[in-house]
Amino acid sequence: LSATAEIPKEDGRPKWDNKFQYILSCIGFAVGLGNVWRFPYLCQIHGGGAFLIPYFIALLFEGIPLLHLELALGQCLRKGSIGAWNSISPYLGGVGVGSWMVSVLVSLYYNTVLTWVMWYFINSFQEPLPWSVCPLNENRTGFNEECYESTAVNYFWYRKTLNITPDISESGTLQWWLILCLATCWAIVYLCTIRGIETTGKAIYVTAIFPYLVLTIFLIQGLTLPGATDGLIYLFTPNLNTLKNPRVWLDAATQIFFSLSLAFGGLIAFASYNPSKNDCEKDAVTVAIVNSMTSLYASIPVFSVLGFKATTAYWDCLDRNIISIINEFDLPEESIMRQNYTSWISFLNSSYPKKIAGLKLKSCNLQEFLDQSVSGTGLAFIVFTQAIILMPGSQAWAILFFIMLFSLGLSSMFGNIEGVFTPLLELRIIPKSAPKELLSGIICLISFLIALCFTLGSGSYWIDIFDRYAGSVPLLVIAFFEVIGVAYIYKIKRFSKDVEWMTGRKLNLYWHITWRFISPLLLLIVFMAFVTLQMQKPPSYTAWNPKYEGFPMKEEKVYPPWVQAICVLLATLPCICVPLEALFHLVKQKRRSKDSSFVSPEVFSCQGANS
Amino acid sequence: RISNVLLCNVTDRVSFWFVVTDSSKNATTVPGSEVEAAIRMNRNRINSAFLLSDKTLQFLKITSTLSPPVEPSTPVWLIVFGVVLCLIVAGIVFLVVSGIQKRKKKNKESTERENLEEKVEVTLENGIPCEALDLKPGHINGVFAADDERFTSL
């Protein structure tokens, strides 16, 4: 049985127009919303510049080896995730199915986040920005109560955008404006992925490069804002004591892992459209380094803006106190300025302590404002939007910011959809005569219909669940089996020969050590630490409840049992595929071995197929 | 008239107390609640008379009524949304139609090529179509086979 004779040289597989498109697609897939709203947050809470140490160690021993593995695998086997893992070994077919399932689950909720970005984008054309003012109450004597007690920005996010319910078990109704935006987002995804990499390859030129332009513009603008330097100093001041906390190392490892979009199957799909003789080693190192540099680059404007926001809030606090003091003591205007506020306060406190105490002044501390750290959607939709209102020309900044977020998310969506699309195409779900446009249309339509659940009142709670459970633990498990599968089942010797054949030079010792020992060990440790941390407290969430006593603080609630069951299901379903498929194949083997005419098929090899 | 102004409680800020008298009703003071309501309704005029704003002219215990933000008849976001959606639908239609046209062209080309190849095959066989040859049961002519051997050795 010779593999050479069966597989023709020109197999009609689509390919990238040029190498740059491929690299850009991988970078676009890796660089996503997390680079902008998770990495700066982690830097801030884990001791600033000191966080870079565990981050780069994790990049070196976990990120780059796994990335190289996936790219080499896809390029060698020239198939999507399901086909590739079936070729490596039929017992490992479950890894591919698991990857595919995770890609499906993540695509569903990721596009809903983009829906929110789109909603904010189309609202940015209004003057004044709708999240800058509170609406009035019925008799027009004051502002809407919910808005007044929290802030206008919070109100716009929780009420006008999400129309959130106070509890996850209350589903609320479908929000029609979100449905419209969701339909638009899926239409955009369909437009860009309609013919697979033929169309995404063209779209990626815009969606991958545009965010860098906007980040640069924000960088220049951000550095000119007052208070920017405070924010940057706060971000980057290293506090080496935090390195003693194992939580920091865990966060660094998970951040690198999720940031590079490993184990989704999307990278394998991208690499499978490459010519076989391509230097995947250099590609992997390039993509990983660009991803990390982007995270660092993005954190500079983010923290300039956050520093600006903290400074403005601090000045507002001071101004409010000054007004109360001036009113109380009947002092002339401009007698107390921000600069001499502290001296005035100490003087007044010593001479009229009772009066000062009666005023109930809020203590204004710049450090406290800087400490208010947020990550995720809170950073983009609450904190950043508030800062944008304060900038001159806020519409333009808002429009730019949300287009940037949309491009970042869209280029990651391309990778997710490719991870779903390519294996389905190879499994011949639709007949070969049917056009590719049909399959991508079916995928987008079904995803849109399922994602309608996320437009309910409780939708954002569900997205948090999907993010925490479907998009985290299964990936770690799948990546672990990927490394083990290639290193010990396919055997490193054979794989290194394949990689040598593709790149044209011998495999470095670094790859041998990391693929064989360090990466699987690291993944195992990270997985166990991650699960242990999750299990330590009962799974809870914070709900936005206007009737809560501590409002505007969010109310801490525990998930009801049926929701907890869904969480467990989401986390274990993709992982279960791996042993299930292996078991299924074992049973098939046993049945076949009873047949004496059974001949074991030759296991696939890179070189055999392509030489 | 100067007699209506009394100085007391001098402070550093410009502030004053005032009472409103109704000249038509025998110089009685107008009750505070009515004055408050009147000020609330005409706040804008009083502010502009002093060239001040709600922030710089403060009436103790009177909160100003707020004017609602201007809202256009169609919300702006619907317009933007309509524009975006039209562009996307146009793009999708264009791509789908061009895809269908490409497939039609490819199908036409491949059928033309097939026809061409058939003709070539027929002429090569000197007018005897392939199908006819296949249908006839073939038997090897020993004489020709021997000749073939001679030809190949050359």
Side-chain angles (χ1 to χ4, degrees), chain A residues 356-593:
Chain A
I356 292 282
L359 282 177
K360 296 204 180 66
L361 295 175
K362 217 166 144 215
S363 73
C364 298
N365 184 3
L366 179 62
Q367 200 58 27
E368 201 182 297
F369 288 112
L370 282 171
D371 273 333
Q372 290 167 1
S373 50
V374 202
S375 81
T377 50
L379 180 74
F381 298 118
I382 299 181
V383 172
F384 230 76
T385 43
Q386 194 152 22
I388 286 180
I389 306 173
L390 305 163
M391 295 184 204
S394 15
Q395 273 85 15
W397 297 115
I399 293 172
L400 269 180
F401 178 63
F402 289 115
I403 295 191
M404 174 189 83
L405 284 188
F406 195 77
S407 320
L408 280 173
L410 195 64
S411 50
S412 299
M413 269 305 282
F414 292 161
N416 279 324
I417 292 286
E418 207 50 50
V420 176
F421 187 61
T422 306
L424 283 181
L425 208 62
E426 284 158 12
L427 285 176
R428 305 282 157 87
I429 296 281
I430 55 166
K432 195 149 191 229
S433 53
K436 261 194 262 190
E437 289 91 329
L438 188 66
L439 181 62
S440 46
I442 294 175
I443 294 177
C444 289
L445 187 67
I446 296 182
S447 309
F448 165 66
L449 291 173
I450 301 181
L452 281 176
C453 321
F454 294 125
T455 56
L456 289 168
S458 53
S460 80
Y461 298 134
W462 285 106
I463 291 195
D464 270 332
I465 288 181
F466 268 68
D467 193 28
R468 252 198 278 178
Y469 295 102
S472 58
V473 171
L475 291 172
L476 289 168
V477 172
I478 291 172
F480 177 71
F481 280 110
E482 279 190 4
V483 186
I484 293 289
V486 169
Y488 297 106
I489 300 186
Y490 187 72
K491 299 285 190 317
I492 266 281
K493 277 212 188 80
R494 214 154 90 211
F495 193 62
S496 67
K497 278 213 200 87
D498 292 334
V499 177
E500 259 178 64
W501 184 83
M502 288 194 292
T503 61
R505 55 173 182 277
K506 211 162 152 49
L507 204 64
N508 203 334
L509 186 66
Y510 161 72
W511 303 111
H512 279 280
I513 300 181
T514 46
W515 282 341
R516 261 198 253 225
F517 311 113
I518 303 189
S519 295
L521 195 65
L522 256 177
L523 277 172
L524 199 63
I525 297 176
V526 169
F527 171 69
M528 294 208 285
F530 199 77
V531 172
T532 323
L533 259 156
Q534 294 274 37
M535 305 259 245
Q536 259 175 10
K537 47 185 173 72
S540 64
Y541 66 108
T542 48
W544 179 262
N545 187 3
K547 300 207 176 62
Y548 177 51
E549 302 98 43
F551 189 75
M553 299 298 289
K554 293 173 90 176
E555 188 182 353
E556 181 101 13
K557 286 191 182 173
V558 178
Y559 286 128
W562 63 277
V563 174
Q564 287 191 23
I566 296 185
C567 297
V568 171
L569 198 73
L570 280 175
T572 52
L573 205 64
C575 308
I576 280 283
C577 288
V578 182
L580 263 183
E581 178 91 13
L583 207 71
F584 174 68
H585 197 79
L586 194 70
V587 168
K588 213 160 67 163
Q589 282 280 70
K590 285 241 163 73
R591 238 184 258 161
R592 268 211 205 144
S593 64

Side-chain angles (χ1 to χ4, degrees), chain A residues 126-128, chain B residues 67-72:
Chain A
Q126 220 173 313
E127 150 69 52
Chain B
S67 56
V70 178
E71 262 184 59

